[in-house]
């Protein structure tokens, strides 16, 4: 516990100092801290591999959606924004690690530079964008079911404002609040009351997504049971909904569970879910929305076959020219 006193000359120095309070040996004996330190190192290696794998998969998925003209549509455009939010999140994690933990001679607890605060702000923005683009995926799916696949393109700008605009406004308010009322450290603490400026919008997005999950499930059950619906349309509904219905509970359940407890409760489990398992979420998204998508697979195979035929034709023309010569 660290405290400061309000005096006539302003806030007193922290007591005990951050440097003393944050030393690892205060948590236990050397025998206790060595396994803990090794566990954190192992965890960092795992989430570094996870984010690297996710970034590679997401960049490939964005490249596929961008290169093939037949895949250009509102649905895949939303997927690409969702992929981009994961790319930003993985990049933000690497930037945050390089700024905060690259130099072991610098005490992380007393660091209070503009660079580290900017890194934390960028990280919080990428996390918020991640959750709000998942919300957009849910909203778009519900709109498709309500409008029976006649979704207007005019909704696209609204989705962009929700996915990128709401996180930007939220982080802007959080930054101004920290600058005004709690401008100490590197802003990476979650025990401050102002942390709810970030936490509350995330919980709101998860709650709305859960309601969408229930509503879409109800609508889907009604449409599938409808005798007037053709088999083709039933398959189309199932293909459009299975990925999003899987991702909505997967992304939010652990966050809601941990949100019900104080930040110091279940730290190891919280770190494991948010860092290790969370680092592979981008790979899972690319897998569901791109690599396992039948439409994408068919387009890739078609273009691959076209390229092979083109190469064979070029080789044949070269051989013919050599023979003629």
């Amino acid at each position: 516990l660290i405290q400061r006193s309000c005096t006539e000359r302003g806030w007193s120095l922290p007591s005990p100092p951050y440097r003393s309070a944050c030393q690892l040996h205060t948590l236990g004996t050397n025998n206790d801290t060595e396994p803990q330190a090794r566990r954190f190192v192992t965890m960092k290696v795992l989430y570094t591999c996870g984010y690297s794998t996710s970034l590679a998969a997401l960049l490939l998925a964005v490249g596929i959606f961008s290169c093939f003209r037949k895949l250009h549509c509102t649905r895949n455009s939303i997927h690409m924004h969702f992929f981009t939010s994961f790319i930003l999140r993985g990049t933000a994690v690497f930037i945050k690690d390089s700024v905060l933990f690259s130099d072991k001679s610098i005490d992380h607890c007393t660091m209070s530079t503009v660079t580290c605060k900017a890194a934390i702000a960028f990280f919080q923005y990428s996390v918020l964008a991640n959750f709000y683009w998942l919300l957009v995926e849910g909203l778009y799916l519900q709109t498709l079911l309500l409008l029976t696949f006649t979704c207007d393109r005019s909704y696209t700008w609204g989705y962009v404002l929700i996915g990128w605009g709401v996180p930007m406004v939220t982080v802007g308010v959080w930054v101004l609040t920290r600058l005004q009322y709690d401008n100490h450290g590197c802003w990476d603490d979650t025990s401050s009351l102002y942390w709810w400026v970030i936490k509350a919008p995330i919980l709101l997005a998860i709650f709305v997504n859960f309601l969408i999950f229930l509503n879409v499930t109800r609508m889907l059950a009604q449409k599938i049971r409808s005798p007037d619906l053709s088999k083709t349309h039933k398959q189309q509904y199932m293909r459009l909904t299975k990925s999003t219905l899987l991702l909505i509970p997967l992304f939010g359940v652990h966050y809601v569970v941990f949100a019900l407890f104080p930040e110091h409760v279940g730290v190891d489990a919280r770190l494991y879910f948010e860092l290790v398992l969370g680092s592979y979420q981008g790979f899972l998204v690319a897998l569901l929305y791109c690599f396992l998508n039948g439409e994408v697979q068919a387009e890739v195979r078609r273009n691959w076959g076209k390229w092979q035929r083109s190469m064979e034709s070029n080789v044949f023309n070269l051989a013919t020219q050599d023979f003629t010569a």
Side-chain angles (χ1 to χ4, degrees):
L1 296 176
I2 303 175
Q3 63 181 9
R4 290 188 293 174
S5 301
C6 184
T7 67
E8 293 179 355
R9 292 176 297 177
W11 288 107
S12 67
L13 294 175
S15 176
Y18 292 129
R19 183 179 297 276
S20 300
C22 288
Q23 291 298 321
L24 193 60
H25 62 74
T26 59
L27 301 176
T29 64
N30 289 333
N31 292 333
D32 294 333
T33 57
E34 286 180 4
Q36 186 178 13
R38 286 198 298 269
R39 185 163 65 250
F40 283 131
V41 171
T42 302
M43 191 175 293
K44 184 177 181 181
V45 171
L46 289 174
Y47 78 70
T48 299
C49 292
Y51 279 116
S52 300
T53 303
S54 294
L55 283 173
L58 290 164
L59 289 172
L60 178 59
V62 169
I64 290 173
F65 280 134
S66 301
C67 291
F68 300 130
R69 188 177 297 274
K70 283 194 174 181
L71 298 178
H72 293 181
C73 62
T74 304
R75 182 180 73 254
N76 290 337
S77 175
I78 291 174
H79 293 342
M80 288 179 65
H81 283 286
F82 194 27
F83 295 165
T84 304
S85 71
F86 273 103
I87 293 172
L88 288 181
R89 184 170 182 171
T91 305
V93 168
F94 291 137
I95 292 175
K96 180 166 68 77
D97 282 356
S98 65
V99 172
L100 269 64
F101 308 115
S102 60
D103 191 349
K104 295 183 180 179
S105 65
I106 298 178
D107 189 354
H108 165 246
C109 290
T110 57
M111 183 189 297
S112 185
T113 63
V114 174
T115 304
C116 77
K117 291 174 183 177
I120 295 298
F122 177 55
F123 173 75
Q124 299 298 353
Y125 175 75
S126 65
V127 171
L128 276 164
N130 223 183
F131 280 101
Y132 273 84
W133 274 108
L134 178 64
L135 174 61
V136 169
E137 290 279 1
L139 289 172
Y140 179 72
L141 175 61
Q142 181 173 253
T143 304
L144 283 177
L145 293 175
L146 286 172
L147 300 181
T148 318
F149 302 105
T150 58
C151 183
D152 192 348
R153 284 182 173 269
S154 62
Y155 289 106
T156 304
W157 281 109
Y159 294 143
V160 171
L161 289 176
I162 293 173
W164 297 121
V166 173
M168 185 171 293
V169 172
T170 303
V171 172
V173 172
W174 178 71
V175 168
L176 293 176
T177 304
R178 293 300 299 257
L179 286 171
Q180 185 70 26
Y181 301 107
D182 196 14
N183 189 20
H184 69 274
C186 209
W187 297 357
D188 60 334
D189 58 304
T190 56
S191 58
S192 171
L193 183 64
Y194 303 109
W195 171 239
W196 279 96
V197 177
I198 298 291
K199 193 173 184 177
I202 292 177
L203 292 175
L204 176 64
I206 293 171
F207 177 71
V208 174
N209 248 336
F210 181 70
L211 295 180
I212 291 174
F213 171 79
L214 296 178
N215 189 41
V216 167
T217 304
R218 178 188 61 82
M219 294 167 57
L220 185 63
Q222 290 178 349
K223 289 183 179 294
I224 289 178
R225 287 199 302 264
S226 174
D228 300 330
L229 195 67
S230 65
K231 184 177 180 181
T232 303
H233 279 98
K234 287 183 180 180
Q235 292 175 348
Q236 193 174 10
Y237 280 125
M238 292 300 296
R239 187 173 63 252
L240 285 171
T241 55
K242 63 181 179 181
S243 298
T244 304
L245 291 181
L246 174 64
L247 290 177
I248 287 175
L250 183 65
F251 272 61
V253 168
H254 79 276
Y255 200 95
V256 172
V257 170
F258 287 126
L260 302 177
F261 298 97
E263 294 291 339
H264 64 274
V265 175
V267 174
D268 288 344
R270 189 192 303 268
L271 288 174
Y272 182 78
F273 274 99
E274 292 186 2
L275 291 178
V276 179
L277 293 184
S279 65
Y280 287 94
Q281 286 180 337
F283 174 75
L284 178 62
V285 167
L287 194 68
L288 290 174
Y289 282 137
C290 182
F291 304 137
L292 296 181
N293 188 314
E295 182 184 5
V296 173
Q297 292 175 350
E299 187 65 15
V300 170
R301 282 196 298 266
R302 188 181 71 83
N303 281 272
W304 175 255
K306 184 178 179 180
W307 180 81
Q308 282 186 320
R309 289 191 296 271
S310 175
M311 290 296 295
E312 290 173 357
S313 175
N314 290 336
V315 171
F316 178 77
N317 290 335
L318 287 174
T320 305
Q321 291 175 2
D322 291 341
F323 180 77
T324 305

